[in-house]
Amino acid sequence: MARRKYVVGNWKMNGTTTALAEARAIFAAAGEHPGVDVALCPPFTLIGAMAGAVPGAAVGGQDCHSAASGAFTGSVAADMLVDAGASLVIVGHSERREGCGESDADVRAKAEAALAAGLSVILCVGEPRTVREAGGAIDYVLAQIAGSVPDDFAADRLAIAYEPIWAIGTGLVPTVADVAAMHGAIRGALAARFGDAAQAMRLLYGGSVNGDNAAELLGAGDVDGALVGGASLTAAKFVPIVAAAAALG
Ligand code: PEP
């Protein structure tokens, strides 16, 4: 099954309204590559402004709460993201799993809430360095998949982002063979659970992707795109990644 390439920028805790010009430049340049789906996930505070500044652009959140409303100071519900103009959300990023103690069950509940609100989901998984070095990366990630991917969803509305924790923001990347092996294992696990629908789910690689390594990493088996942190903050760094995805078709 042909899956469209998907390149998503995670701005993390970066960006104020002065960064909207960069978002405009990114989406304008991405428009030159109509075969690639491009999205940006800015901080909550910028979602409405970015969606307004670039009509039709795919703008997303970086997290949501699993509850619809309530006494959760500082949190944002999935419906609120939709109301602000978001069409997608990242859940289970390692900076939240590790930094905020989110469990697989928490991530699954967030994904379910997001899907129920009409958002598409990018669900992150990935192993720490010690696990990779001990040879347990695939088992670790497949356990995350088993625990955090919901049971019931339209396959084209949930993408998995494999992001080895040791590769995020470090400049380190796995070998292409390791990426292909992990993505193949993830696809296999999804196929065992969801049957043919797994062929419609997109699997992104994330971790120190840049314009120089994008073609190689996105060309690995079963890689349908990238989740990009640091290199998504400027058009100059992000657009070459989109172009690499476009070249791979
Ligand atoms: C990320 O945090 O999702 C990420 C992939 O970051 P970076 O590209 O900076 O490694």
Coordinates of all heavy atoms in Angstrom, one line a residue, residues 154-211:
A154 N -9.1 4.8 13.0 CA -8.9 4.7 11.6 C -7.4 4.8 11.4 O -6.7 5.6 11.9 CB -9.5 5.9 10.9
A155 N -6.9 3.8 10.6 CA -5.4 3.6 10.5 C -4.7 4.8 10.0 O -3.5 5.1 10.3 CB -5.1 2.4 9.6
D156 N -5.3 5.6 9.1 CA -4.6 6.8 8.6 C -4.7 7.9 9.5 O -4.1 9.0 9.2 CB -5.2 7.2 7.2 CG -6.7 7.5 7.3 OD1 -7.3 7.3 8.4 OD2 -7.2 8.0 6.3
R157 N -5.2 7.8 10.7 CA -5.3 8.9 11.7 C -4.3 8.6 12.8 O -4.2 9.5 13.8 CB -6.7 9.1 12.2 CG -7.5 9.8 11.1 CD -8.8 10.3 11.6 NE -8.8 10.9 12.9 CZ -9.7 10.8 13.8 NH1 -10.7 10.0 13.7 NH2 -9.6 11.4 15.0
L158 N -3.5 7.6 12.8 CA -2.6 7.4 13.9 C -1.2 7.0 13.3 O -1.2 6.0 12.6 CB -3.0 6.3 14.9 CG -2.2 6.2 16.1 CD1 -3.0 6.0 17.4 CD2 -1.2 5.1 16.0
A159 N -0.2 7.8 13.5 CA 1.1 7.5 13.1 C 2.0 7.2 14.3 O 1.8 7.7 15.4 CB 1.7 8.6 12.3
I160 N 2.9 6.3 14.1 CA 3.9 6.0 15.2 C 5.2 6.7 14.8 O 5.7 6.6 13.7 CB 4.2 4.5 15.2 CG1 2.9 3.6 15.4 CG2 5.2 4.2 16.3 CD1 2.3 3.7 16.8
A161 N 5.8 7.4 15.8 CA 7.1 7.9 15.6 C 8.1 7.2 16.5 O 8.0 7.2 17.7 CB 7.1 9.4 16.0
Y162 N 9.0 6.5 15.8 CA 10.1 5.8 16.5 C 11.2 6.8 16.8 O 11.9 7.2 15.8 CB 10.6 4.6 15.7 CG 11.9 4.1 16.3 CD1 12.0 3.7 17.7 CD2 13.1 4.0 15.6 CE1 13.2 3.2 18.2 CE2 14.3 3.6 16.1 CZ 14.3 3.2 17.4 OH 15.5 2.8 18.0
E163 N 11.5 7.1 18.0 CA 12.5 8.1 18.4 C 13.4 7.6 19.5 O 13.0 7.6 20.7 CB 11.8 9.4 18.9 CG 10.9 10.1 17.9 CD 10.8 11.6 18.2 OE1 10.4 11.9 19.3 OE2 11.1 12.4 17.3
P164 N 14.5 7.0 19.1 CA 15.4 6.5 20.1 C 15.8 7.7 21.0 O 16.3 8.7 20.5 CB 16.6 5.9 19.4 CG 16.4 6.3 17.9 CD 15.0 6.8 17.7
I165 N 15.7 7.5 22.3 CA 15.9 8.7 23.2 C 17.3 9.2 23.1 O 17.5 10.5 23.1 CB 15.6 8.3 24.7 CG1 14.1 7.9 24.8 CG2 15.9 9.4 25.7 CD1 13.7 7.3 26.1
W166 N 18.3 8.4 22.9 CA 19.7 8.8 22.8 C 20.0 9.5 21.5 O 21.1 10.1 21.4 CB 20.6 7.5 23.0 CG 20.2 6.4 22.1 CD1 19.3 5.4 22.3 CD2 20.7 6.2 20.7 NE1 19.2 4.6 21.2 CE2 20.0 5.0 20.2 CE3 21.6 6.8 19.9 CZ2 20.2 4.5 19.0 CZ3 21.8 6.3 18.6 CH2 21.1 5.2 18.2
A167 N 19.1 9.5 20.6 CA 19.3 10.2 19.3 C 18.6 11.6 19.3 O 18.9 12.4 18.4 CB 18.8 9.4 18.1
I168 N 17.8 11.9 20.3 CA 17.0 13.1 20.3 C 17.9 14.3 20.7 O 18.4 14.3 21.8 CB 15.8 13.0 21.2 CG1 14.8 12.0 20.6 CG2 15.1 14.4 21.3 CD1 13.6 11.8 21.4
G169 N 18.1 15.2 19.8 CA 18.9 16.4 20.1 C 20.4 16.2 20.3 O 21.0 17.1 20.8
T170 N 20.9 15.1 20.0 CA 22.3 14.7 20.3 C 23.2 14.8 19.1 O 24.4 14.8 19.2 CB 22.4 13.3 20.9 OG1 21.9 12.4 20.0 CG2 21.6 13.2 22.2
G171 N 22.6 14.7 17.9 CA 23.4 14.5 16.7 C 23.8 13.1 16.4 O 24.4 12.8 15.4
L172 N 23.4 12.2 17.3 CA 23.6 10.8 17.1 C 22.4 10.2 16.4 O 21.3 10.5 16.6 CB 23.8 10.0 18.4 CG 24.9 10.5 19.3 CD1 24.8 9.8 20.7 CD2 26.3 10.3 18.7
V173 N 22.7 9.3 15.4 CA 21.5 8.6 14.8 C 21.9 7.1 14.7 O 23.0 6.7 14.6 CB 21.3 9.1 13.3 CG1 20.7 10.5 13.4 CG2 22.5 9.1 12.5
P174 N 20.8 6.2 14.7 CA 21.1 4.8 14.5 C 21.5 4.5 13.1 O 21.4 5.4 12.2 CB 19.7 4.2 14.7 CG 18.7 5.3 15.1 CD 19.4 6.6 14.8
T175 N 22.0 3.3 12.9 CA 22.4 3.0 11.5 C 21.1 2.8 10.7 O 20.0 2.5 11.3 CB 23.1 1.6 11.5 OG1 22.3 0.6 11.9 CG2 24.4 1.7 12.3
V176 N 21.2 2.9 9.4 CA 20.0 2.7 8.6 C 19.5 1.3 8.8 O 18.2 1.0 8.8 CB 20.3 2.9 7.1 CG1 19.2 2.5 6.2 CG2 20.6 4.4 6.9
A177 N 20.4 0.3 9.0 CA 19.9 -1.1 9.2 C 19.1 -1.2 10.5 O 18.1 -1.9 10.6 CB 21.1 -2.0 9.2
D178 N 19.6 -0.5 11.5 CA 18.9 -0.5 12.8 C 17.5 0.1 12.7 O 16.5 -0.3 13.3 CB 19.7 0.1 13.9 CG 20.8 -0.8 14.4 OD1 20.8 -2.0 14.1 OD2 21.7 -0.3 15.1
V179 N 17.4 1.3 12.0 CA 16.1 1.9 11.8 C 15.2 1.0 11.0 O 14.0 0.8 11.4 CB 16.3 3.3 11.0 CG1 14.9 3.8 10.7 CG2 17.1 4.2 11.9
A180 N 15.7 0.4 9.9 CA 14.9 -0.5 9.1 C 14.4 -1.7 10.0 O 13.2 -2.2 9.9 CB 15.6 -1.0 7.9
A181 N 15.3 -2.3 10.8 CA 14.9 -3.4 11.6 C 13.8 -3.0 12.6 O 12.9 -3.8 12.8 CB 16.2 -4.0 12.3
M182 N 14.0 -1.9 13.2 CA 13.0 -1.4 14.2 C 11.6 -1.2 13.5 O 10.6 -1.6 14.0 CB 13.5 -0.2 14.9 CG 12.5 0.4 16.0 SD 12.2 -0.8 17.3 CE 13.7 -0.5 18.3
H183 N 11.7 -0.5 12.4 CA 10.4 -0.1 11.7 C 9.7 -1.4 11.2 O 8.5 -1.5 11.3 CB 10.6 0.9 10.6 CG 10.7 2.3 11.2 ND1 10.0 3.3 10.7 CD2 11.5 2.8 12.1 CE1 10.3 4.4 11.4 NE2 11.2 4.2 12.2
G184 N 10.5 -2.3 10.8 CA 10.0 -3.6 10.3 C 9.3 -4.4 11.5 O 8.2 -5.0 11.3
A185 N 10.0 -4.3 12.6 CA 9.4 -5.0 13.8 C 8.1 -4.3 14.2 O 7.1 -5.0 14.6 CB 10.4 -5.0 14.9
I186 N 8.1 -3.0 14.2 CA 6.9 -2.2 14.6 C 5.7 -2.6 13.6 O 4.6 -2.9 14.0 CB 7.1 -0.7 14.6 CG1 8.1 -0.4 15.7 CG2 5.8 0.1 14.8 CD1 8.6 1.1 15.7
R187 N 6.1 -2.6 12.3 CA 5.0 -2.9 11.3 C 4.5 -4.3 11.5 O 3.3 -4.6 11.4 CB 5.6 -2.8 9.9 CG 4.6 -3.0 8.8 CD 3.7 -1.9 8.4 NE 4.5 -0.7 7.9 CZ 4.0 0.5 7.9 NH1 2.8 0.8 8.3 NH2 4.8 1.5 7.4
G188 N 5.4 -5.2 11.8 CA 5.0 -6.6 12.1 C 4.1 -6.7 13.3 O 3.0 -7.4 13.2
A189 N 4.4 -6.0 14.3 CA 3.5 -6.0 15.5 C 2.2 -5.4 15.3 O 1.2 -5.9 15.7 CB 4.2 -5.3 16.7
L190 N 2.2 -4.3 14.5 CA 0.9 -3.7 14.2 C 0.0 -4.6 13.3 O -1.2 -4.7 13.5 CB 1.1 -2.4 13.5 CG 1.8 -1.3 14.4 CD1 2.1 -0.1 13.5 CD2 0.9 -0.9 15.5
A191 N 0.7 -5.3 12.4 CA 0.0 -6.2 11.5 C -0.6 -7.4 12.2 O -1.7 -7.8 12.0 CB 0.9 -6.7 10.3
A192 N 0.2 -7.9 13.2 CA -0.3 -9.0 14.0 C -1.6 -8.6 14.8 O -2.5 -9.4 15.1 CB 0.8 -9.5 15.0
R193 N -1.6 -7.3 15.2 CA -2.8 -6.8 16.0 C -3.9 -6.3 15.2 O -5.1 -6.5 15.5 CB -2.2 -5.7 17.0 CG -3.3 -5.3 18.0 CD -2.6 -4.5 19.1 NE -3.5 -3.6 19.7 CZ -3.2 -2.6 20.5 NH1 -1.9 -2.3 20.8 NH2 -4.1 -1.8 21.1
F194 N -3.6 -5.6 14.1 CA -4.6 -4.9 13.3 C -4.9 -5.4 11.9 O -5.7 -4.9 11.2 CB -4.3 -3.4 13.2 CG -4.2 -2.7 14.6 CD1 -3.0 -2.3 15.1 CD2 -5.3 -2.5 15.4 CE1 -2.9 -1.6 16.3 CE2 -5.3 -1.9 16.6 CZ -4.1 -1.5 17.1
G195 N -4.1 -6.4 11.5 CA -4.3 -7.0 10.2 C -3.9 -6.0 9.1 O -2.9 -5.2 9.3
D196 N -4.6 -6.1 8.0 CA -4.3 -5.3 6.9 C -4.2 -3.8 7.1 O -3.5 -3.0 6.5 CB -5.3 -5.5 5.7 CG -5.1 -6.9 5.1 OD1 -4.0 -7.5 5.4 OD2 -6.0 -7.3 4.3
A197 N -5.0 -3.3 8.1 CA -5.1 -1.9 8.5 C -3.7 -1.3 8.8 O -3.4 -0.2 8.6 CB -6.1 -1.6 9.6
A198 N -2.8 -2.2 9.3 CA -1.5 -1.8 9.7 C -0.7 -1.2 8.5 O 0.2 -0.4 8.6 CB -0.7 -2.9 10.3
Q199 N -1.1 -1.6 7.3 CA -0.4 -1.2 6.1 C -0.7 0.3 5.8 O 0.1 1.0 5.1 CB -0.7 -2.0 4.9 CG -0.4 -3.5 5.0 CD 1.1 -3.7 5.4 OE1 2.0 -3.0 4.9 NE2 1.3 -4.6 6.4
A200 N -1.7 0.8 6.4 CA -2.1 2.2 6.2 C -1.5 3.2 7.3 O -1.6 4.4 7.2 CB -3.6 2.4 6.2
M201 N -0.9 2.6 8.3 CA -0.4 3.4 9.4 C 1.0 3.9 9.0 O 1.9 3.1 8.6 CB -0.3 2.6 10.7 CG -1.7 2.3 11.2 SD -1.7 1.2 12.6 CE -0.9 2.3 13.8
R202 N 1.3 5.2 9.2 CA 2.6 5.7 8.9 C 3.6 5.6 10.0 O 3.2 5.9 11.2 CB 2.5 7.1 8.4 CG 1.7 7.1 7.0 CD 1.7 8.5 6.4 NE 0.8 9.4 7.0 CZ 0.4 10.5 6.4 NH1 0.9 10.9 5.2 NH2 -0.4 11.3 7.0
L203 N 4.8 5.2 9.7 CA 5.8 5.1 10.8 C 6.9 6.1 10.5 O 7.5 6.1 9.4 CB 6.4 3.6 10.7 CG 5.5 2.5 10.8 CD1 6.3 1.1 10.8 CD2 4.5 2.6 12.0
L204 N 7.1 7.0 11.4 CA 8.1 8.1 11.3 C 9.3 7.7 12.1 O 9.2 7.1 13.1 CB 7.5 9.4 11.8 CG 6.1 9.8 11.3 CD1 5.7 11.2 11.8 CD2 6.0 9.7 9.8
Y205 N 10.5 8.2 11.6 CA 11.7 8.1 12.4 C 11.9 9.5 13.0 O 11.8 10.6 12.2 CB 12.9 7.7 11.6 CG 14.2 7.9 12.4 CD1 14.5 7.1 13.4 CD2 14.9 9.1 12.2 CE1 15.6 7.4 14.2 CE2 16.0 9.4 13.0 CZ 16.3 8.5 14.0 OH 17.4 8.8 14.8
G206 N 12.4 9.6 14.2 CA 12.7 10.9 14.8 C 14.0 10.8 15.6 O 14.2 9.7 16.3
G207 N 14.8 11.8 15.6 CA 16.1 11.8 16.4 C 17.2 12.3 15.5 O 17.7 11.6 14.7
S208 N 17.5 13.7 15.7 CA 18.6 14.3 15.0 C 18.5 14.2 13.5 O 19.5 14.1 12.8 CB 19.9 13.7 15.5 OG 20.2 14.1 16.8
V209 N 17.3 14.2 12.9 CA 17.2 14.3 11.5 C 17.5 15.7 11.0 O 17.1 16.7 11.6 CB 15.7 14.0 11.0 CG1 15.6 14.1 9.5 CG2 15.3 12.5 11.5
N210 N 18.3 15.8 9.9 CA 18.6 17.1 9.3 C 18.7 16.9 7.8 O 18.5 15.8 7.3 CB 20.0 17.6 9.9 CG 21.1 16.6 9.7 OD1 21.3 16.1 8.6 ND2 21.9 16.4 10.7
G211 N 19.0 18.0 7.1 CA 19.0 18.0 5.7 C 20.1 17.1 5.1 O 19.9 16.6 4.0

